[in-house]
């Protein structure tokens, strides 16, 4: 049972890294970016190509996945996202869903529609046992990386100058500009960070959830659940939401496989009824 | 003398060539509507079959029974509504004499009515749920059925000292087919079976594999659609199930030749029963694999490709039997009972069910040189689809 809990946490961690980028753009910048999964897919493909074509080790391909998704994020933000900030949420949804379909078709055309594979280094394969609990090495590695990320993100947004400027810019861009905060650059950076995190999540997730051109559509629902349940006003919200969903999904499928796939949806409904603004929503005036 | 003979034979040759081409021109080409998922999540199936169909035309020629075969390829992206619409267009606008392809069960089912109403043969080259051929008297199948591949596994497992099996299958038609046919046969032999079904869109196999590891079965019987086979195998090894002595068995989809190299060494030792392996040891298959890989660099023919190749072979044979008459009823009549030597071994179309009768091979995934292959080590001869055979 502890083993399955551990599996669930690792799975939740990947969901967190994938989803928190979305809660950064959606929550902090108030932009509904459904194309988030496309950046995750990009990161995944970059990692696969880096390992297969360039022969890079797995660890070196991870920062590359982050960087590639972040760079593409910055470019797209400059070119096509910025004009959409002022539009209505519906326009943003239509726009970003369109991007998803383009990404799916484009990837299919470029890379083929087959599943992509990576070969993990030997020290990340297999598992060991501590006091009867089976611990997969790769899952432990994922937990360590994602845990570190969650911690530094939370610290970054609440304790640093960058974080406070960003929050100020989100709450009232006009006043922030008046105070000399470079709002546009801040948003571009934030968007790049969110996209980069998605890319990293995509690369980390290949081994657990697979990778093919339909990735952004297949997992969009999971990112959205993480963000809706977690709320978009903090990092802790999505973090605990992702944990909860990962564990509930894995444990649910383990205990009652007949209805396993529906458990996270049921959980989402219950949570949204009891806490409509998300798990740790700050009180809204 | 020799000069005259050369001229004479040359003239004779010219005359012959003229007469045959004149004959071909006199008769219109037989159009085949090939509907495949060329894009979307099942595109690998479409690409394999498309490559095999092209290879057939290149290797065995386009003219059969005096008629030229013309293939019209359409992409349904794995969507059943699109398949039916494309089938209707092909029949009404393009006047095709044969519909072929069909990557998935719902796609083949969606077209059954079109085939029946238009009296056009529907050659199923991939979809493998047993009941498909019952949906229309015009459906003929050249791939396989899941019970056909799964039941022999039950016999093999029982004969090899496996008493307790845990089955993990994807929760959709073919998966349920594989699970029930294996479990019924294995229980009848005296074994015990526990089962779980995995949702079709399932990212992580951890919870299901954990159940398996706690049940401590002798073997894990698995059917998942071929793409996710790699993840399944990796997680099977990650959980240490291979070291715990759990054998991995099942129909061959999980170690699909198309992705076997990508799965890597974790696939070593899997025992599967299937109708085709790229490593099938016959001169005909060696030539087939070589020609396929030459025409499609980086691809290895899998069980989908062989279904496509034999589908074309069946159409060609039927046309030869009807001497070029491509009316639906005549073609179907000619296809019933047709038999030939396929690259997978001898095959025959069952005249009663229009399903294929073929050898099923027991294989083990091994290293052959530097490549991974499913090496066949036992043969179960002339297996009929067991579901329809019992009726």
């Amino acid at each position: 049972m502890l083993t399955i809990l551990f599996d669930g946490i690792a799975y939740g961690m990947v969901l967190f890294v994938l989803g928190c980028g979305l809660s950064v753009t959606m929550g902090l910048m108030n932009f509904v970016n459904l194309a988030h999964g496309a950046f995750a897919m990009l990161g995944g493909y970059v990692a696969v190509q880096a390992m297969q074509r360039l022969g890079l080790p797995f660890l070196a391909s991870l920062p590359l996945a982050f960087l590639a998704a972040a760079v593409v994020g910055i470019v797209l933000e400059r070119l096509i996202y910025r004009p959409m900030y002022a539009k209505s949420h519906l326009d943003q949804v239509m726009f970003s869903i369109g991007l998803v379909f383009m990404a799916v078709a484009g990837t299919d055309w470029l890379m083929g529609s087959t599943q992509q594979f990576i070969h993990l280094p030997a020290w990340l394969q297999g598992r060991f046992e501590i006091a009867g609990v089976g611990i997969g090495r790769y899952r432990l590695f994922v937990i360590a990386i994602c845990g570190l990320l969650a911690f530094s993100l939370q610290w970054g947004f609440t304790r640093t100058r960058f974080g406070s400027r960003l929050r100020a810019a989100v709450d009232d861009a006009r006043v922030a500009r008046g105070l000399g905060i470079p709002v546009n650059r801040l948003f571009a950076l934030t968007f790049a960070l969110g996209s980069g995190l998605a890319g990293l999540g995509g690369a980390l997730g290949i081994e657990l959830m697979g990778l093919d051109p339909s990735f952004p559509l297949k997992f969009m629902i999971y990112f959205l659940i993480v963000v809706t349940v977690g709320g978009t006003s903090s990092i802790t919200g999505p973090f605990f939401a992702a944990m909860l969903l990962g564990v509930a999904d894995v444990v649910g499928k383990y205990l009652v496989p007949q209805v396993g796939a529906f458990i996270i949806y049921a959980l989402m409904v219950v949570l949204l009824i009891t806490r409509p603004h998300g798990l740790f929503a700050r009180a809204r005036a | 003398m020799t000069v005259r003979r050369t001229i004479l034979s040359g003239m004779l040759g010219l005359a012959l060539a003229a007469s045959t081409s004149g004959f071909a021109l006199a008769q219109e080409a037989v159009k085949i509507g090939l509907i495949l998922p060329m894009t979307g999540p099942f595109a690998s199936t479409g690409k394999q079959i498309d490559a095999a169909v092209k290879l057939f035309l290149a290797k065995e020629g386009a003219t059969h029974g005096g008629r030229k075969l013309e293939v019209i390829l359409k992409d349904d992206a794995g969507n059943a509504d699109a398949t039916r619409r494309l089938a209707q267009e092909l029949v009404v606008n393009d006047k095709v004499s044969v519909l072929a392809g069909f990557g998935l069960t719902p796609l083949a089912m969606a077209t059954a009515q079109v085939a029946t109403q238009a009296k056009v043969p529907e050659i199923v080259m991939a979809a493998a749920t047993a009941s498909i051929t019952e949906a229309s008297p015009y459906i003929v199948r050249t791939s396989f059925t899941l019970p056909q591949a799964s039941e022999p596994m039950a016999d093999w497992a029982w004969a090899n000292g496996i008493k307790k099996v845990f089955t993990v299958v994807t929760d959709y038609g073919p998966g349920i087919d594989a699970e029930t046919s294996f479990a019924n046969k294995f229980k009848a032999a005296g074994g015990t079976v526990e089962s779980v079904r995995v949702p079709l869109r399932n990212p992580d196999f951890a919870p299901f594999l954990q159940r398996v590891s706690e049940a401590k079965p002798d073997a894990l019987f698995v059917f998942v659609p071929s793409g996710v086979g790699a993840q399944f195998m990796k997680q099977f090894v990650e959980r240490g199930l291979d070291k715990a002595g759990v054998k991995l068995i099942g129909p061959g989809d999980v170690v699909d030749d198309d992705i076997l190299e990508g799965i890597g060494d974790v696939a070593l030792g899997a025992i599967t029963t299937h109708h085709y392996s790229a490593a099938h040891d016959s001169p005909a298959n060696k030539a087939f694999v070589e020609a396929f890989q030459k025409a499609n660099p980086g691809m290895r023919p899998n069980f989908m490709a062989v279904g496509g190749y034999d589908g074309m072979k069946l159409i060609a044979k039927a046309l030869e039997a009807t001497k070029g008459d491509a009316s639906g009823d005549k073609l179907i009549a000619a296809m019933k009972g047709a038999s030939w030597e396929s690259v997978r071994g001898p095959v025959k179309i069952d005249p009663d069910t229009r399903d294929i009768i073929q050898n099923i091979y027991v294989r083990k995934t091994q290293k052959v040189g530097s490549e991974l292959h499913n090496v066949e080590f036992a043969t179960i001869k002339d297996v009929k689809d067991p579901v329809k055979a019992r009726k």
Side-chain angles (χ1 to χ4, degrees), chain B residues 58-70:
Chain B
K59 260 184 89 175
E60 311 211 3
T63 310
H64 296 271
R67 304 280 301 265
K68 196 171 182 309
L69 302 183
E70 185 188 326

Side-chain angles (χ1 to χ4, degrees), chain B residues 116-192:
Chain B
T116 312
Q117 283 171 355
K119 297 192 188 337
V120 165
E122 174 184 341
I123 313 296
V124 177
M125 294 169 161
T129 308
S131 58
I132 289 174
T133 51
E134 291 164 342
S136 161
Y138 289 90
I139 295 182
V140 186
R141 174 156 41 196
T142 56
S143 51
F144 73 115
T145 78
L146 273 158
Q148 189 178 38
S150 306
E151 273 202 7
M153 190 78 246
D155 296 331
W156 185 89
W158 183 253
N160 284 273
I162 291 168
K163 303 266 181 288
K164 190 177 161 194
V165 175
F166 205 107
T167 72
V168 176
V169 303
T170 299
D171 196 2
Y172 75 135
I176 295 164
D177 252 12
E179 178 199 286
T180 46
S181 56
F182 173 85
N184 290 344
K185 192 94 200 258
F186 195 68
K187 279 182 200 153
T192 51

Side-chain angles (χ1 to χ4, degrees), chain A residues 38 46 105 125:
Chain A
V46 166
Q125 287 175 9

Side-chain angles (χ1 to χ4, degrees), chain B residues 266-327:
Chain B
V266 290
L268 286 173
I271 307 272
T272 48
T273 39
H274 226 204
H275 57 290
Y276 179 70
S277 158
H280 179 67
D281 195 12
S282 75
N285 184 51
K286 281 211 176 76
F288 170 71
V289 174
E290 203 173 298
F292 188 96
Q293 291 189 315
K294 205 173 157 202
N296 309 279
M299 250 167 102
R300 187 196 279 180
N302 70 355
F303 60 103
M304 297 297 183
V306 82
Y309 196 90
D310 282 339
M312 290 301 286
K313 180 90 186 172
L314 178 64
I315 297 168
K317 277 189 81 76
L319 272 175
E320 274 154 27
T322 63
K323 304 209 164 43
D325 187 341
S327 63

